[in-house]
Amino acid sequence: MDDDRIKYMQRCLQLAKLGEGLTESNPMVGCVIVHDGRIIGEGYHHQYGGPHAEVNAIRSVKEKNLLAGSTLYVNLEPCSHTGKTPPCSDLIIEKQIPRVVIGTMDPFPEVSGMGIEKLRKSGCGVEVGVLSNECQELNRRFFTFHREKRPYIILKWAQTADGFIDKFRGDLDEKPLWITDEIARVAVHKQRAVEGAILVGTETAVKDNPCLTLRDWSGRQPLRIVTDMNNRLPSELNIFDRKVKTIVLSKDIRTGGNNLHYLPVGDEDAVSFLLHYLYSERILSIVVEGGTYTLQQFLDRNVWDEAHVYVGKTKFHEGVEAPLFDLSRPVCREIFPQSELLIFRNLRE
């Protein structure tokens, strides 16, 4: 493959990532415009509802007359429909840009292939598939959402070196013991900033009383979700502080309001119910943070895409066992002072 095409597409991906955590439910997109081997315009999608990457790149070009002799590079197929903004494919045609290089097709049904077809019918030369795998990897949440009709699912937990996520705590006032270190906790909050929602089960909510918010990182707060099928959770828990939108999965119809909403699951399977709800709300991803029972429900169904397992150096010798999971084949690892992060992908072999 031509080195220049790779170079410019890599730049598109660099630009696209600048919108991480800000574009949901849209994808991350970057765009580069090249004339005679020189970049004359760049742009990326800054936030949901704002101008798309192609628009920002075209606007950045100072000498607009050069567009008619330029090549536009973009990591995702230009849109062909009117949503929050007009179609980018129409703008490319209007500006008479003669050549477009696309990383990958858009899986969104209202676009998929139609933006490419519109450009080709206008006489524009279109090439598709430059760094296709890398382009899909960047927007794996977006692709999973549209292909699987559900959010991208990340399972996350911390466990000791001997395989426990907690000690046995009979007294609810007894504080949880930290397994990881401060730097690892910053990494957890950074992860929350780029995901759409975060889920914990009843036991975790009662025993740990988590806030499930960003405190060690800046960004958009994820939607908080907690299961409470038997109405066990006391109203004074941090998750009920109404500072962030919170969903409670319950068997009953209950009154919430002011950032607190109850969803009656009834006799439905809670996992399936939740995934359908998140899909209907156009939430691209969810982090499942525990506890073991909640995590195991996703593992047993094989309904997950990534697992982020923080393994500390400490040992509990006894306690609440971590989920049943093979830690032998991580796709990558990150080392912290008192722990390490192992990341796994579900290959669904």
Side-chain angles (χ1 to χ4, degrees):
M1 187 176 291
D2 186 279
D3 287 345
D4 284 342
R5 286 180 296 165
I6 293 174
K7 176 178 68 176
Y8 295 132
M9 192 58 68
Q10 286 173 334
R11 180 57 181 161
C12 289
L13 293 171
Q14 289 174 345
L15 291 166
K17 196 167 175 62
L18 295 175
E20 188 174 48
L22 302 172
T23 64
E24 189 174 341
S25 59
N26 287 344
M28 294 176 280
V29 183
C31 180
V32 171
I33 300 173
V34 178
H35 182 271
D36 286 343
R38 179 173 64 93
I39 294 177
I40 62 171
E42 292 186 335
Y44 69 96
H45 186 34
H46 291 221
Q47 61 183 14
Y48 177 75
H52 288 186
E54 299 93 323
V55 175
N56 287 329
I58 290 171
R59 285 177 179 174
S60 76
V61 176
K62 293 181 180 179
E63 299 178 68
K64 296 293 192 290
N65 61 300
L66 297 180
L67 290 171
S70 298
T71 299
L72 183 146
Y73 292 80
V74 64
N75 59 291
L76 191 70
E77 176 182 2
C79 62
S80 57
H81 71 299
T82 299
K84 296 285 184 181
T85 60
C88 291
S89 53
D90 287 357
L91 179 64
I92 294 169
I93 294 168
E94 176 193 329
K95 298 300 180 181
Q96 299 182 338
I97 298 173
R99 184 166 177 260
V100 177
V101 178
I102 298 167
T104 185
M105 286 178 58
D106 191 325
F108 182 42
E110 292 187 36
V111 178
S112 188
M114 289 182 277
I116 294 168
E117 182 183 8
K118 182 181 284 191
L119 290 170
R120 284 177 171 158
K121 282 184 175 180
S122 76
C124 181
V126 179
E127 179 181 356
V128 184
V130 177
L131 297 185
S132 177
N133 290 338
E134 291 85 347
C135 292
Q136 292 190 41
E137 169 68 15
L138 177 72
N139 280 306
R140 58 192 181 278
R141 294 161 181 80
F142 182 75
F143 276 81
T144 296
F145 180 85
H146 287 291
R147 287 173 174 170
E148 304 295 331
K149 310 301 181 188
R150 62 163 176 80
Y152 193 83
I153 301 167
I154 300 172
L155 309 181
K156 173 262 170 184
W157 70 89
Q159 67 179 65
T160 60
D162 55 351
F164 298 99
I165 66 168
D166 197 1
K167 286 193 171 182
F168 293 123
R169 286 184 281 150
D171 187 351
L172 293 182
D173 292 330
E174 188 178 350
K175 301 295 183 184
L177 295 172
W178 285 107
I179 294 172
T180 59
D181 46 72
E182 291 184 4
I183 298 178
R185 290 197 290 273
V186 171
V188 170
H189 284 231
K190 180 182 178 183
Q191 179 75 47
R192 289 178 181 176
V194 300
E195 309 304 344
I198 183 169
L199 167 70
V200 294
T202 306
E203 289 296 321
T204 299
V206 169
K207 291 184 176 180
D208 293 352
N209 192 18
C211 293
L212 303 184
T213 55
L214 305 182
R215 300 180 302 284
D216 296 326
W217 199 262
S218 62
R220 182 194 58 182
Q221 299 284 357
L223 170 69
R224 300 187 297 194
I225 306 171
V226 62
T227 56
D228 187 21
M229 296 302 180
N230 299 309
N231 303 331
R232 290 179 49 206
L233 298 181
S235 59
E236 63 270 17
L237 291 179
N238 290 325
I239 203 168
F240 296 134
D241 60 15
R242 300 177 186 263
K243 293 180 180 179
V244 177
K245 185 177 179 181
T246 302
I247 299 293
V248 183
L249 300 181
S250 174
K251 287 201 172 185
D252 306 322
I253 299 176
R254 300 167 65 185
T255 303
N258 189 22
N259 261 349
L260 181 61
H261 307 275
Y262 288 87
L263 290 182
V265 177
D267 295 327
E268 293 185 54
D269 172 70
V271 171
S272 297
F273 177 90
L274 174 61
L275 296 182
H276 281 116
Y277 170 78
L278 294 176
Y279 180 74
S280 70
E281 293 294 308
R282 299 188 61 80
I283 293 173
L284 299 189
S285 63
I286 181 171
V287 181
V288 183
E289 287 210 4
T292 296
Y293 174 78
T294 301
L295 289 161
Q296 201 67 52
Q297 287 187 76
F298 288 86
L299 289 169
D300 290 346
R301 290 170 171 80
N302 199 28
V303 183
W304 61 279
D305 300 290
E306 291 184 23
H308 293 200
V309 185
Y310 291 82
V311 181
K313 294 181 178 180
T314 187
K315 293 183 178 181
F316 284 174
H317 304 292
E318 63 176 3
V320 180
E321 294 184 355
L324 296 173
F325 192 80
D326 181 5
L327 298 181
S328 65
R329 298 173 63 188
V331 295
C332 65
R333 67 177 68 218
E334 188 170 350
I335 306 299
F336 303 109
Q338 298 300 321
S339 60
E340 64 177 338
L341 167 61
L342 306 179
I343 297 179
F344 302 84
R345 291 287 182 88
N346 189 347
L347 302 179
R348 294 186 173 84
E349 296 175 344

